[in-house]
Structure formats: structure tokens, C-alpha cells
Amino acid sequence: MEEMDFFSEKNRPTVQEDFQVKDEHEMKFGVSGSIKSEPETGLQLSFCVTKTKEKQESQQLKALQLELYRLNEENRKLRSMLDHISNNYSALHAQIRLVMNQRALNDPQQQDQRNDMSSPAFSIHQFTNPSPAGTLDIEHHSHPNKETVEPSLGNCIEHISKDSEQDVVQMGSKRPFSENSPDQTSQSCVGSKFPKGEQAKNTDNVLEVPCRKARVSVRARSDAPLITDGCQWRKYGQKMAKGNPCPRAYYRCTMSTGCPVRKQVQRSAEDKTILITTYEGNHNHPLPPAAITMANTTSAAATMLLSGSTTSKETLTHSNVYQSLLPYTSTIATLSASAPFPTITLDLTQNPNPNPNPKAMQFLRSAHPHPPVPHTQFPLPLYSCARPFGHPNQTVQRHSSMVETLTAAISTDPNLTAALASAISSFISAPVTNRNSPADAQFSQSSTTFSTN
DNA sequence: CGGATTTGACCGGCGC
DNA sequence: GCGCCGGTCAAATCCG
């Protein structure tokens, strides 16, 4: 950065300052000092006024020109900074691809998947999941042309996040539901859950990306014990969490045997009227309409959290849900990448819009028309991978549209956008460590939290 | 009686 | 190695 010579500026008043000084002088002594000191005729007076006006205008013009020049300079500096960042990004991306190619060549077990690794996103996915099985995620097939469309690091992380969400399915061999889970064939094995010996076989030259599971946390003000999200849940545990007098309840989805989705419900320690619900995993079964929209939004939030993708507003205006989300966009407040799971928090405890969008209200009513128990109506959808009844093929399309939806919803708040960009960039630029290092399986990401409220 | 909930035990990760 | 803590399991209990 250039050093600025403040002294030269100090010693030489700017045109603007000049103008102000003169202005003050004129206000003190009338239209012009010369007029007061030397009485003149009316003609001379008008001539002097005209001359002074012209002088003022020319000085104003100079001031504006200076301002324009200053802004241009600032613009130029910002452009150069942007170029610099873009170059760094390109270099980093090239390095990642290089390492991936090397890894592909070194690992004979991946040979049969070489074709699929043409996508950088998938390659990263393989990277972060040193699975001996090396099974493919169904969703990866849904984006065969990712590289040509958008070969971005964001996509890589998006896939990592999807994978991470699906880690929940393979919690262990004891799980009865994991045996017949429809998602099982689509699951890549989870590094952290594998026996250490097994892991060691597959961790050579493997990079660790600091992400295991994505979580979506929803804060809502409610006296009810649960929020209504359209799914059926069964409580399987309750624990006292440290630092909170209220117990944390654990639920799993019971709409299908083997559904890996879990949620935790806990009241806020600071404000017991706030109910914090944390969702994890993807449904592996059709969902009722009320649950579909819910599922989509939190999953989009989770994906957005890690993908860092940007979306033009043009696409958003086509999304109905976007309209319903608008009243809540400013409530999406917190992104935490702290260990062990990156979590995005949708804070619905604020009331951002006194006149919420009618569509949002409609959605609120439709989420659960006749709740059997006093639940809080939950305005946001959950889990994009959920399949609606009878429309299994809509999953991918809905997923991407919802990602766009939430990403854009967040982008409508400039402060949040800036904070989010900062958080995501810090997330992306987190140190990439080698699994052979002692800190291999550790998610050493520092916490990134921000708030717009 | 079957499904849901409760609750103490257990397990694995992590820090010291 | 030990203790703490979060998360899960599973037997006991509850409830419609």
C-alpha cells in the first residue's frame, strides 16, 4: 500500500476548504468584503455578485472533480485487490486439482472410478472420504457436468457437506436401520467412524477438509416442547448439557425405518422461552408436503453454509419459497464452523417484518393445520434430500432451487452477506492438513460466528 | 398390548 | 491414563 503524505495535504488546504473559508468570510461581512469597505453603485454590486457566483461555481466544480478523482482512485485500488484475490483463488484451485490428480494416480483402488473423477467436486469428495468401498453418492451423478458448469471450490465443499450430512447413516454396525437403508449404497464410508487400522490403509496422501457433518439449528420462541416440522419423531434420549439448566432431548425420525435424520431440542439457557432445534442428516423416505418445504430450507442452509456459492437474484424471483422466506431473511443470523460440526443457525426469535408476506403466513398455516399437541408452527423447510410422495425425481431440482433460494435470501441483507462471505472465506481457507499428522482427524476449525442483529 | 417415553449405562472423542 | 462431555442404547416404565 502506498504511504500517504498527510503533511502536504495539511499544509495546502483543498479547494473545498478554500471555498468554505471564503464562504464563512462572506457570511460575516456580507456579500463581499470589498462591497462593505467601499460603497459601490448598484451596477457594480450586481457585477460583483455575478462574479462571485461564477467563482463559487468553478470552485464547486473543482471540488467535485477532486472527489471524482479520489473515488476513481479508490475504485482502482479495490479492483486491483479483487484481481489479487481472484488470482490467489485460481492458484489455489489449480493446486487442489493437481493434488487430486496425483492422488488418483497413486491410489489403485480408485482406478475404477477415474471416469467419475473428472469432476473436481467429486474428486474432493473422494478425497475426504477414504472409503475402501468408494461407493458413489447418488447426488454426485446428478451433476455430471459440474466441472464445465462451475468448477469452483464452493462446489467441492458443497459435495463434502452433502457427504457429511449422510455420515449420520453410518453411525455404526450396530444400527439396525443402517442395514436396509435405501441410502446405504449411496453412502461413502465415514473416515472418523472407521476402525483406525482400516482408516490407516486409506489415508495415505489424503487431505483432511475440516468438515464432518453439517447441522442446521433453528431458534424459535415457543412455550411448546417441540416445533412442528411435519415429520414424526421418537425421543430416544435426554441429557443435561453443560452450561444449560434445561435438558437436551434427542429425537430421531420415525417416518421410515432407517431414516438417519435426528434432531436435538433444547431451551436456551439465556432465554427459556426460546426453543433451539438442531437438525442433522437427510431423510431417506417420502415426506408429507408440510415437511418437504421444511426439509428443503434447512438443507439449503446447510449446503449454503459450506458451498459458499452465489446466486443471482434473477433466479430467485422465480422461486415461490423465496417470497415466503423474505420476512425471515434477516433472522438468519449465525454461522458457526466450530468443532465438531459446522452449524448454521436460523434465528426466528426476532420479528424482522411487522407485516409478513402473505405467502409466508399461508405457509405457516399449512405447515400443520391441526396439530395434535401444542407445537410451535415452524415456517422453514428442512432437508433438501427429502423426497415428496410420488415425486422421487424432483429431488435434485428442488435441492438446487432451494440452495438458490436460501443463498439469495441471505444475500438480500447486505450486512449479512458481508459477514457470510467473510465466514465462508475463512472456512474455505482453513488449513488443510495431512491425515498422517497427529491432528489428522481433528476438526481444528476455529469458530466463526456473526450476527446481523 | 404395543408403541412411546424415561433414564441410567455405555461408548467414543477430546483435553489435560 | 483419566476424567469430562456429548451422544446413543436399551431395559424399565408409562400410556392410550
Side-chain angles (χ1 to χ4, degrees):
Chain A
M1 295 291 279
E2 288 177 338
E3 284 186 10
M4 292 183 74
D5 189 355
F6 291 101
F7 293 101
S8 63
E9 288 286 321
K10 246 183 184 175
N11 294 334
R12 185 187 55 78
T14 63
V15 176
Q16 215 165 359
E17 284 166 352
D18 254 343
F19 180 71
Q20 281 171 353
V21 168
K22 186 173 172 60
D23 217 27
E24 282 172 13
H25 182 261
E26 283 175 1
M27 285 175 70
K28 274 183 187 171
F29 302 106
V31 179
S32 163
S34 61
I35 295 172
K36 275 235 163 176
S37 58
E38 295 175 27
E40 309 263 358
T41 63
L43 193 62
Q44 283 170 326
L45 183 64
S46 85
F47 174 72
C48 277
V49 169
T50 311
K51 202 174 176 185
T52 310
K53 258 190 176 177
E54 278 175 10
K55 206 173 184 182
Q56 284 177 2
E57 279 172 4
S58 83
Q59 282 169 345
Q60 262 180 328
L61 188 67
K62 278 182 184 172
L64 287 172
Q65 280 174 341
L66 273 177
E67 182 70 6
L68 186 65
Y69 177 76
R70 194 182 60 78
L71 290 172
N72 280 336
E73 275 295 295
E74 200 174 319
N75 193 19
R76 193 182 56 78
K77 282 177 186 171
L78 288 171
R79 274 175 191 276
S80 78
M81 281 171 72
L82 185 65
D83 285 344
H84 185 65
I85 291 168
S86 296
N87 287 339
N88 283 349
Y89 169 78
S90 301
L92 187 62
H93 189 249
Q95 283 180 7
I96 287 173
R97 293 195 63 179
L98 186 67
V99 174
M100 286 187 305
N101 287 337
Q102 283 176 352
R103 200 254 177 179
L105 289 170
N106 291 340
D107 189 354
Q109 288 186 350
Q110 306 287 338
Q111 289 292 335
D112 54 342
Q113 294 168 16
R114 194 63 49 80
N115 291 338
D116 290 311
M117 293 186 71
S118 57
S119 159
F122 181 72
S123 303
I124 283 279
H125 159 72
Q126 287 296 310
F127 238 129
T128 53
N129 293 279
S131 154
T135 49
L136 303 183
D137 187 325
I138 285 172
E139 293 205 8
H140 293 142
H141 294 297
S142 63
H143 304 287
N145 300 323
K146 273 268 172 174
E147 187 176 21
T148 55
V149 174
E150 190 185 2
S152 70
L153 190 60
N155 280 333
C156 304
I157 296 176
E158 177 178 340
H159 281 265
I160 291 162
S161 118
K162 284 174 190 169
D163 221 45
S164 304
E165 287 174 23
Q166 288 164 349
D167 289 354
V168 185
V169 174
Q170 307 215 351
M171 297 294 271
S173 54
K174 277 198 285 182
R175 298 283 161 74
F177 57 77
S178 65
E179 288 170 12
N180 53 0
S181 167
D183 271 6
Q184 194 172 20
T185 53
S186 70
Q187 306 300 316
S188 291
C189 297
V190 185
S192 60
K193 299 284 180 187
F194 258 67
K196 281 183 180 172
E198 195 91 13
Q199 257 187 16
K201 290 177 195 171
N202 301 282
T203 52
D204 289 342
N205 302 320
V206 173
L207 300 179
E208 171 81 3
V209 173
C211 168
R212 282 189 218 155
K213 297 172 192 173
R215 284 182 173 178
V216 177
S217 182
V218 177
R219 291 165 57 91
R221 214 172 276 280
S222 169
D223 292 332
L226 282 176
I227 60 177
T228 298
D229 48 29
C231 285
Q232 292 173 359
W233 302 94
R234 177 175 176 170
K235 191 174 182 178
Y236 67 90
Q238 181 168 308
K239 287 283 281 190
M240 294 301 296
K242 196 186 175 188
N244 193 334
C246 303
R248 176 184 299 160
Y250 299 90
Y251 296 85
R252 70 164 56 103
C253 178
T254 57
M255 292 193 76
S256 144
T257 54
C259 179
V261 175
R262 284 168 167 74
K263 77 172 179 182
Q264 299 173 10
V265 179
Q266 186 172 33
R267 296 216 164 267
S268 168
E270 297 86 27
D271 185 350
K272 291 187 173 58
T273 65
I274 295 175
L275 199 64
I276 304 167
T277 308
T278 305
Y279 295 87
E280 186 181 299
N282 296 320
H283 292 283
N284 62 358
H285 53 83
L287 287 174
I292 287 167
T293 33
M294 290 181 160
N296 284 337
T297 294
T298 46
S299 181
T303 306
M304 186 273 321
L305 155 69
L306 296 162
S307 71
S309 64
T310 56
T311 308
S312 70
K313 280 203 176 178
E314 203 175 329
T315 42
L316 294 166
T317 50
H318 298 302
S319 168
N320 291 331
V321 189
Y322 171 66
Q323 297 296 329
S324 12
L325 278 173
L326 277 177
Y328 303 94
T329 53
S330 65
T331 67
I332 302 169
T334 305
L335 169 65
S336 172
S338 59
F341 312 118
T343 302
I344 187 164
T345 300
L346 309 178
D347 192 344
L348 307 177
T349 59
Q350 310 293 320
N351 198 3
N353 189 347
N355 298 309
N357 188 308
K359 284 189 180 178
M361 298 308 291
Q362 187 184 349
F363 178 77
L364 279 167
R365 285 190 293 272
S366 68
H368 203 308
H370 302 292
V373 287
H375 286 174
T376 299
Q377 293 297 343
F378 180 57
L380 294 173
L382 309 169
Y383 308 109
S384 73
C385 291
R387 289 181 291 274
F389 285 119
H391 299 284
N393 293 332
Q394 293 179 0
T395 306
V396 172
Q397 192 183 349
R398 176 169 287 105
H399 177 87
S400 59
S401 87
M402 288 307 301
V403 170
E404 290 168 1
T405 297
L406 197 71
T407 305
I410 286 170
S411 72
T412 57
D413 183 334
N415 292 334
L416 179 58
T417 304
L420 191 61
S422 161
I424 288 172
S425 67
S426 71
F427 186 78
I428 290 171
S429 63
V432 177
T433 59
N434 192 306
R435 276 216 175 180
N436 294 329
S437 70
D440 54 3
Q442 211 163 351
F443 184 15
S444 57
Q445 179 78 27
S446 61
S447 174
T448 308
T449 304
F450 57 87
S451 174
T452 56
N453 295 324

